[in-house]
Amino acid sequence: MKGTNMNRSSKILYVMLTVILFGSLLGCNENMMATEMEKGKAQMNIEKEQFGTTPDGKKVDIYTLTNANDCEVKITNYGGIVVSLTAPDKDGKISDIVLGYDNLDGYIKDNSPYFGALIGRYGNRIGKAKFELNGKTYTLAANNGENHLHGGVKGFDKVVWDAKEIKQDDAVGLELNYLSKDGEEGYPGNLNVTVKYLWTNNNELKIEYSATTDKDTVVNLTHHSYFNLAGKGNVLNHQLMIDADKFTPVDEGLIPTGELRSVKGTPMDFTKPTAVGARIEQDDEQLKYGLGYDHNWALNDYDGSMKMVASVYESTSGRIMEVHTTEPGLQFYSGNFLDGTITGKNGRVYEHRTGLCLETQHFPDSPNKPDFLSTTLKPGEKYSTTTIYKFKTK
């Protein structure tokens, strides 16, 4: 009896010790998890540094946004330019995958091809640098032959924006504000513009655009980063998919004709992943006009909601970039005018087609094409659109 009671006591003591030990381990694990979470949050950071001074004496800053994965986006308030963006490859190596310059002077040069910039008031081209609104003709700067391109001589890519840092649970960011005054570059209305860049812990660069006006005007904002997912070489082996059955063919000046043409049976068909260079040298009128791809695709099933509309895959790095947007169009530009005359970051010479752009937008020349979706903004209305560039690997 005595021995039996001792066994039972031992068993009870064993169970109690086991429960206590398990509880301690569980608490330890919870503490470790909490520590790791806090560590992740601690890695999210914003740093501000001076980037230089404009020719008219305005100081310019650069902001480094770091997420919990130790990936960074550097953005300057000059032109809202994304100077660098780092993302891991399939082996975890982090590299910069956008084209640009080491310093502000590079971006101020007249020949800078809009590396990483915010584009406005009107992204892309307006034919003959004119449009009519409410019976009045507005004349814009003809800075692309006889046409108007990317907001004119001094578009949103060449102004200093007011900047405010953003910190959220899963992202760090930058809010940029700019008042484009009535008559600036020929556009009517005082346009108050806000652009928010958010860099998330999912390696997403989220861009939220909004604007209001005090007079009827036209607005079409976009982003102009040149991506190279390999971080070197050209982009001809990048596999591109665009969810669009139609595109807007252009004339010799790259102004849309007004037609929506099927991509089927043409070099414009990226409905299935296809190498950028697979058909870029074909004997095709549209490719000759653009010296490659420099066209707008009419995205499928547009209804203003957020959708994944394109993806790019680069096999040597394993990097994938997805493009999600609320916009109806996507301009794919294959870096045709890069010709080796520009030296960018770390002394790298940007040769032909060393970067590609995927610019979410309303269609080019919409103010002159009544059958295209309107880009008119009126007082009391709010322009609002969002685009996300998401980076991952396989």
Side-chain angles (χ1 to χ4, degrees), residues 6-58:
M6 287 180 65
N7 288 340
R8 286 177 180 173
S9 299
S10 298
K11 288 179 180 177
I12 291 170
L13 181 61
Y14 175 78
V15 170
M16 290 176 66
L17 289 172
T18 301
V19 170
I20 291 169
L21 180 61
F22 179 76
S24 298
L25 289 172
L26 182 61
C28 182
N29 286 336
E30 287 177 345
N31 289 334
M32 288 175 65
M33 289 172 65
T35 300
E36 287 301 313
M37 288 176 69
E38 289 302 316
K39 184 181 177 183
K41 287 183 179 179
Q43 289 176 338
M44 292 172 58
N45 192 35
I46 305 175
E47 291 186 2
K48 174 184 173 182
E49 301 173 88
Q50 190 168 339
F51 195 47
T53 305
T54 63
D56 59 355
K58 291 183 180 178

Side-chain angles (χ1 to χ4, degrees), residues 174-244:
L174 201 63
E175 178 179 304
L176 300 173
N177 291 281
Y178 177 67
L179 175 62
S180 176
K181 294 183 178 180
D182 186 18
E184 183 175 287
E185 292 298 311
Y187 290 96
N190 291 297
L191 188 74
N192 200 326
V193 185
T194 298
V195 178
K196 291 182 181 179
Y197 280 111
L198 292 170
W199 181 230
T200 78
N201 288 335
N202 291 324
N203 291 346
E204 299 168 321
L205 181 62
K206 185 176 184 180
I207 311 174
E208 300 175 348
Y209 309 85
S210 62
T212 57
T213 183
D214 62 359
K215 186 187 294 185
D216 287 8
T217 190
V218 296
V219 187
N220 188 29
L221 307 181
T222 191
H223 178 75
H224 210 289
S225 274
Y226 288 66
F227 297 98
N228 183 316
L229 300 187
K232 59 184 179 179
N234 61 47
V235 296
L236 297 179
N237 289 325
H238 284 47
Q239 299 283 319
L240 174 65
M241 184 284 295
I242 303 176
D243 185 18

Side-chain angles (χ1 to χ4, degrees), residues 333-344:
Y333 172 55
S334 52
N336 312 312
F337 295 101
L338 297 175
D339 58 5
T341 60
I342 293 176
T343 300

Side-chain angles (χ1 to χ4, degrees), residues 45-49 60-66 73-83 118 161-168 171-177 194-200 205-209:
N45 192 35
I46 305 175
E47 291 186 2
K48 174 184 173 182
E49 301 173 88
V60 175
D61 297 314
I62 188 167
Y63 297 79
T64 302
L65 313 180
T66 306
V73 177
K74 291 181 181 288
I75 303 171
T76 173
N77 61 331
Y78 178 81
I81 292 169
V82 172
V83 174
L118 289 177
W161 295 63
D162 294 329
K164 183 172 68 176
E165 297 177 7
I166 301 172
K167 290 186 179 180
Q168 298 180 352
V172 287
L174 201 63
E175 178 179 304
L176 300 173
N177 291 281
T194 298
V195 178
K196 291 182 181 179
Y197 280 111
L198 292 170
W199 181 230
T200 78
L205 181 62
K206 185 176 184 180
I207 311 174
E208 300 175 348
Y209 309 85

